[in-house]
Amino acid sequence: MNGPQAIYAFKVALATVLALAFSFMLDLPNTYWALMTIPLVARPDAGSMVWRSAARLAGTLMGALVGLMLIANFAQTAGQMIAALAPWIFATSYLARLMSGTDAYAYSVAGLTALVIVLDTGSNAPAAYGYALARTTETAVAIVASFVVLLVVFPVSVENQVKGQIASARSRMLNLARADLSDEATVAIGERKAVFSELLAIHTTLRAQAFERSRRNWRLPRMTEVAVLLNRTLVAADAAAFALGKFSPAERQGRVEEERATLCRMLADYPPQRTSVEETRADVGAIERFIASLDPYTLVHHLTRTPGLIDESLPRRVAALYRLRLFAESLRDLLVAEAALLDPDTPTPRAEPISARYYNLEAAYQFGSFGSSDIGAWTTSADIGYTLDALPFSPRLGLKADAISGGGDLNDNRLGTFNPLFPKLPYFSEANLAAPANLLDIQPGISISPRDDLKMEFSWNPLWKQSKEDAFYGPPLTAVKGTAGGNSRFIGQQFIASGDWSVTERLSVSGTYVRFEPGARLKEIDASSGDYFALSTQWRF
């Protein structure tokens, strides 16, 4: 065991002891959950650990909310519960398969947590909230202990790992590009796959670095740009090699062979690792001159006006020269990005998103005093999803979840109900039935685009009180009479359908339908179901 490994082992052991101590101090019932979480979230570098911890916590919250929802609606019989739980396990497994890196771990945890809560609860539905709260608290305790130790005691950044991966992938990519454009060298399929796997690993490590707070974070977007362009350049080299492969040796003589040989000489002169900004910019100038010589208009004019060049191979020559130009443009962009990585004074490139995933995570804590009472309230919110562009109508699977604190003991001289202050209403649906206070909710949904100008969205939104003792609040923050206390937390559920149609560039039409069914708590005060429909038009001047 070397020095860094010994330090890492010591930090994990210290975090484990600290998590156990926190669990005993809080008198938590299942301390082994915290102990199991430590090795699952602990990582040698700070970025990977924060990413892993965020995924673990998000997955636990998501799974706990789904578990509560399933128990509230299907705890009557085992058959109904299994039938309801199976689609959730399938969905989280499928999303985990689509994701890369630690994002997949979050969906796996979400599926496992819901399963554990359902199995632990069994037929004892009132105990579900206690199990969900204990599971989430034990996970949070372990994550806090890991943060305290691994981010404070000899913290390690993932940046050096990213640099090493980029240098290795760059060297292997250039070797592949040289081989693709060369007549003599051949590349094994395994080597090509290995390069693409290495490029994928770079993006995973860059995601981890995004979770670090560092004064050197100016390098992150630049390294991301280099990683993207390494991939793009390799693909361009493969396309150029494919176009060149359509020629016989005799047909390729002339302009095509001259330009291919020129590019091969340029690649042969490139160093294995860039260390000089001036040399990199000089190479950028050389490749730009090469690109200018392959101007499409001039190229076609030359090939069609030169005697003896117009034959059945002309389209293939034009395609080959065009592919060489595209490869040269990708190579130029890569050199520009490498120069920006070496020089902090160079403007940061703007990286375009290349992922169909989206997520938005928020959390807030309120503290202070109001009169003689202390304020201690909190809220967390998650909005995640994935767009399946390859399927008809480009369906987007989404999941929203909120956990918003309510007041507990009404006589403890403490205000625990979260006050949203100036919320953007409507918050949960256009029907605007609930305010973001003392609430647990989850909202799975799907949106589709049957046409470019039409978008439709369907979702389901069950709601519970976070604190049974507190009331259910309507907008803006008004307690609904008779809803404090009671025998149930379940407020009700909304079924939501909406659509947006862009009739013209100026005219658009939007419609929303919401069906609300009261839950056990609102039925105790004789609440009834209701329907809401709205239609609006907008004209842009």
Side-chain angles (χ1 to χ4, degrees):
M1 181 183 295
N2 56 32
Q5 290 174 337
I7 292 174
Y8 174 63
F10 168 74
K11 292 195 292 185
V12 171
L14 186 59
T16 303
V17 172
L18 192 60
L20 191 61
F22 285 163
S23 299
F24 286 149
M25 288 172 57
L26 297 174
D27 196 24
L28 299 176
N30 301 306
T31 55
Y32 62 89
W33 282 347
L35 298 181
M36 290 171 57
T37 300
I38 293 289
L40 293 174
V41 301
R43 290 295 182 270
D45 58 86
S48 297
M49 197 208 72
V50 175
W51 185 11
R52 188 86 172 176
S53 299
R56 175 80 182 190
L57 188 57
T60 300
L61 287 170
M62 193 189 315
L65 288 171
V66 170
L68 289 173
M69 175 195 69
L70 295 176
I71 292 167
N73 290 278
F74 306 106
Q76 293 79 7
T77 64
Q80 291 180 0
M81 179 60 73
I82 293 173
L85 184 60
W88 173 250
I89 300 298
F90 172 80
T92 53
S93 301
Y94 181 71
L95 289 171
R97 182 67 181 85
L98 289 178
M99 298 296 108
S100 62
T102 305
D103 290 344
Y105 177 63
Y107 289 105
S108 300
V109 170
L112 179 62
T113 301
L115 178 62
V116 168
I117 290 174
V118 168
L119 293 178
D120 284 350
T121 301
S123 59
N124 185 18
Y129 182 75
Y131 283 122
L133 182 62
R135 180 81 175 181
T136 305
T137 305
E138 295 279 359
T139 299
V141 163
I143 289 173
V144 169
S146 299
F147 276 28
V148 169
V149 176
L150 279 83
L151 299 184
V152 176
V153 181
F154 306 118
V156 178
S157 174
V158 76
E159 183 175 309
N160 289 333
Q161 182 181 345
V162 179
K163 289 180 179 178
Q165 288 178 327
I166 288 178
S168 174
R170 179 186 183 278
S171 176
R172 298 177 75 170
M173 185 279 295
L174 288 177
N175 289 335
L176 280 179
R178 294 184 187 107
D180 283 339
L181 299 181
S182 173
D183 288 330
E184 303 172 358
T186 57
V187 180
I189 296 297
E191 174 66 13
R192 193 174 299 277
K193 289 182 177 179
V195 175
F196 279 107
S197 297
E198 193 166 10
L199 289 171
L200 180 60
I202 292 174
H203 289 285
T204 300
T205 313
L206 284 168
R207 285 286 307 281
Q209 189 182 353
F211 284 87
E212 294 183 357
R213 297 180 61 86
S214 171
R215 60 180 175 82
R216 298 169 295 180
N217 213 35
W218 64 270
R219 293 197 185 101
L220 179 59
R222 300 165 191 253
M223 289 191 290
T224 302
E225 184 75 1
V226 170
V228 170
L229 289 169
L230 284 173
N231 201 343
R232 188 180 301 167
T233 305
L234 181 57
V235 172
D238 285 347
F242 180 80
L244 291 171
K246 295 293 183 179
F247 292 95
S248 66
E251 289 177 327
R252 206 167 69 185
Q253 298 303 315
R255 183 69 182 271
V256 174
E257 178 59 22
E258 291 173 3
E259 304 299 350
R260 183 201 66 81
T262 300
L263 261 182
C264 285
R265 287 194 296 271
M266 286 183 176
L267 289 172
D269 292 337
Y270 287 167
Q273 186 173 354
R274 291 283 174 181
T275 57
S276 170
V277 178
E278 290 74 17
E279 291 180 3
T280 304
R281 287 174 177 164
D283 288 337
V284 170
I287 200 95
E288 284 182 337
R289 290 190 291 273
F290 175 84
I291 293 170
S293 70
L294 292 179
D295 174 71
Y297 177 80
T298 306
L299 205 58
V300 173
H301 185 272
H302 166 75
L303 292 174
T304 55
R305 296 299 178 89
T306 303
L309 290 184
I310 300 180
D311 55 23
E312 70 278 359
S313 68
L314 178 61
R316 296 199 299 276
R317 285 200 295 273
V318 173
L321 289 170
Y322 180 68
R323 286 296 176 185
L324 288 174
R325 175 188 168 93
L326 291 182
F327 170 66
E329 289 176 345
S330 297
L331 196 59
R332 175 204 58 198
D333 294 341
L334 174 61
L335 294 176
V336 170
E338 288 180 331
L341 184 57
L342 293 171
D343 183 10
D345 294 329
T346 303
T348 302
R350 179 181 178 182
E352 297 294 333
I354 59 174
S355 172
R357 295 170 295 182
Y358 69 93
Y359 65 92
N360 181 28
L361 306 175
E362 298 179 3
Y365 183 78
Q366 289 180 338
F367 60 92
S369 61
F370 182 79
S372 61
S373 300
D374 293 327
I375 298 174
W378 50 267
T379 180
T380 61
S381 176
D383 182 5
I384 58 177
Y386 193 87
T387 302
L388 305 172
D389 289 317
L391 297 182
F393 304 152
S394 299
R396 170 169 285 197
L397 307 177
L399 180 66
K400 301 177 183 178
D402 300 273
I404 309 169
S405 69
D409 186 352
L410 301 182
N411 300 313
D412 64 357
N413 204 33
R414 179 180 177 85
L415 298 179
T417 305
F418 182 78
N419 187 338
L421 297 179
F422 307 103
K424 179 183 180 298
L425 298 175
Y427 191 83
F428 298 100
S429 74
E430 291 296 323
N432 200 21
L433 299 174
N438 188 33
L439 209 63
L440 300 174
D441 89 295
I442 189 169
Q443 187 171 351
I446 181 172
S447 64
I448 57 174
S449 300
R451 304 181 350 176
D452 291 340
D453 59 358
L454 179 62
K455 180 181 178 181
M456 305 173 69
E457 186 170 357
F458 307 90
S459 61
W460 172 48
N461 181 214
L463 306 106
W464 297 264
K465 293 197 299 179
Q466 190 275 327
S467 172
K468 186 185 291 187
E469 292 79 10
D470 202 353
F472 166 57
Y473 292 85
L477 189 62
T478 305
V480 177
K481 184 179 179 180
T483 58
N487 298 318
S488 175
R489 299 176 187 271
F490 187 42
I491 298 167
Q493 51 190 334
Q494 302 180 92
F495 302 91
I496 306 165
S498 62
D500 294 288
W501 178 29
S502 299
V503 183
T504 67
E505 290 185 357
R506 295 181 179 273
L507 177 64
S508 61
V509 179
S510 300
T512 301
Y513 170 73
V514 181
R515 170 71 176 180
F516 179 78
E517 293 286 347
R521 183 63 190 92
L522 291 189
K523 287 180 179 178
E524 293 176 6
I525 60 170
D526 299 324
S528 59
S529 59
D531 299 276
Y532 170 87
F533 177 74
L535 183 67
S536 63
T537 61
Q538 182 178 22
W539 177 267
R540 298 181 182 87
F541 293 93

